[in-house]
Amino acid sequence: MKRLTALLLAILILSFAGVNVYAEGKGIGWYVKRNGRQRPVAIGEMCEIEDYGGYYIDKKLSDDSEKRVIYLTFDAGYDNGNVTKTVEILKEKNVKAAFFILDTIVIKNTDLLCRMFDDGHLVCNHTKNHKDVTLMTNDEIIDNLTDLERICEQKTGRKMAKYFRFPEGKYSIDSLKTVNELGYKTIFWSFGYDDWDNARQPDKSTAFKKIIDNTHNGEVILLHPTSSTNVEILPLLIDKWREMGYSFGSLDELVKE
């Protein structure tokens, strides 16, 4: 009894101190089941993202729509040379994308970041340091996102686009609400694959086939530009997508009602 009373008292004290003691339990890992060339559909609790400014696919399109669009997005925490190559490929192919960045890119690769802005890409918020947002208090979330905004503007003189992506896709309804109240739209994805581990890169043919076999209309695709495989196949992917009738949309178009 004494132990239970002490535990309840500790929770009460932490709550009054503004600590999100239940955040870890509320963490949800974003997931949508692949459906090949057909559009996947979020089910269950995943649908709740739409109530708080969350997007994962263009709902204005369908499998049968004449208009074919892909939204190309990259999570770029640092540059190992491949992010620069990715930006160069996009310039050569005349494709605009969205880059979700951390403060490492801003501080250590400011020239590259300025080039993203100059080339017309959207520079978006992926948190300052890739920490688990679901373990943060509301104030910590606000400070983390606005700190990255401030650093970016100080270094480049440019403002970040108001789009956010949760690190590793781990979110909670409370954190979604907080991000939305900051004026952000949260961008999840309808297709991504295991491309983030530089020590476990798939071969080019396997990666290319997996991506093309799962291409669907209104797709928000998540790629990591640090991947050597992605850099090698990106020109081929762009050419193949165009051959399939796809154009490359802006997130501004995705969230437009």
Side-chain angles (χ1 to χ4, degrees):
M1 185 67 179
K2 289 182 178 180
R3 184 175 297 176
L4 178 59
T5 302
L7 177 61
L8 292 173
L9 181 60
I11 291 174
L12 184 62
I13 291 171
L14 288 171
S15 298
F16 277 115
V19 177
N20 192 353
V21 294
Y22 294 111
E24 184 172 8
K26 291 189 291 187
I28 304 166
W30 171 254
Y31 172 78
V32 60
K33 186 177 180 181
R34 294 173 186 167
N35 196 25
R37 296 281 180 92
Q38 304 299 304
R39 289 158 56 88
V41 178
I43 60 175
E45 63 186 350
M46 302 299 170
C47 298
E48 295 182 43
I49 66 166
E50 298 173 4
D51 297 330
Y52 306 102
Y55 296 80
Y56 74 98
I57 199 168
D58 191 338
K59 288 292 189 73
K60 300 182 295 297
L61 300 173
S62 70
D63 289 324
D64 300 323
S65 297
E66 183 176 347
K67 183 178 181 179
R68 316 294 290 176
V69 181
I70 290 174
Y71 298 92
L72 188 55
T73 73
F74 296 93
D75 286 1
Y78 62 95
D79 185 23
N80 58 356
N82 288 330
V83 181
T84 296
K85 291 177 183 178
T86 297
V87 173
E88 291 171 350
I89 291 167
L90 294 174
K91 177 73 170 180
E92 178 184 340
K93 294 291 188 179
N94 192 28
V95 173
K96 304 295 186 293
F99 287 87
F100 290 85
I101 64 163
L102 309 177
D103 68 354
T104 304
I105 288 278
V106 181
I107 297 167
K108 294 186 176 182
N109 305 102
T110 308
D111 290 344
L112 174 59
L113 185 60
C114 288
R115 183 171 179 183
M116 291 177 185
F117 278 111
D118 290 341
D119 287 355
H121 302 300
L122 291 176
V123 175
C124 312
N125 205 318
H126 196 36
T127 71
K128 183 172 68 173
N129 47 19
H130 212 258
K131 299 292 186 182
D132 186 343
V133 176
T134 67
L135 300 181
M136 299 180 189
T137 65
N138 288 346
D139 286 345
E140 287 171 340
I141 295 172
I142 293 168
D143 288 345
N144 194 297
L145 271 63
T146 55
D147 278 353
L148 184 59
E149 292 176 3
R150 175 181 51 78
I151 295 168
C152 181
E153 189 165 3
Q154 286 177 346
K155 287 285 189 178
T156 68
R158 322 287 184 90
K159 290 183 179 292
M160 302 182 74
K162 281 289 190 175
Y163 298 110
F164 175 71
R165 177 168 283 156
F166 284 90
E168 300 181 2
K170 188 177 180 183
Y171 69 99
S172 67
I173 296 302
D174 286 345
S175 57
L176 265 174
K177 291 178 181 178
T178 300
V179 169
N180 195 31
E181 288 167 0
L182 274 175
Y184 280 91
K185 302 295 186 184
T186 297
I187 308 300
F188 292 92
W189 56 90
S190 59
F191 175 79
Y193 81 108
D194 299 343
D195 64 344
W196 58 82
D197 187 345
N198 292 329
R200 295 175 54 251
Q201 287 296 300
D203 64 80
K204 293 188 297 182
S205 60
T206 298
F208 182 85
K209 185 177 187 304
K210 181 177 291 187
I211 292 169
I212 294 301
D213 285 352
N214 288 280
T215 294
H216 49 271
N217 201 16
E219 173 180 10
V220 178
I221 183 170
L222 161 61
L223 296 174
H224 288 80
T226 51
S227 161
S228 57
T229 297
N230 285 349
V231 166
E232 290 185 88
I233 66 176
L234 184 57
L236 302 175
L237 286 171
I238 292 171
D239 290 346
K240 182 62 176 179
W241 281 326
R242 282 177 166 154
E243 180 185 315
M244 295 167 70
Y246 286 97
S247 61
F248 299 92
S250 166
L251 296 184
D252 294 337
E253 178 184 352
L254 174 69
V255 305
K256 187 176 181 182
E257 298 299 332

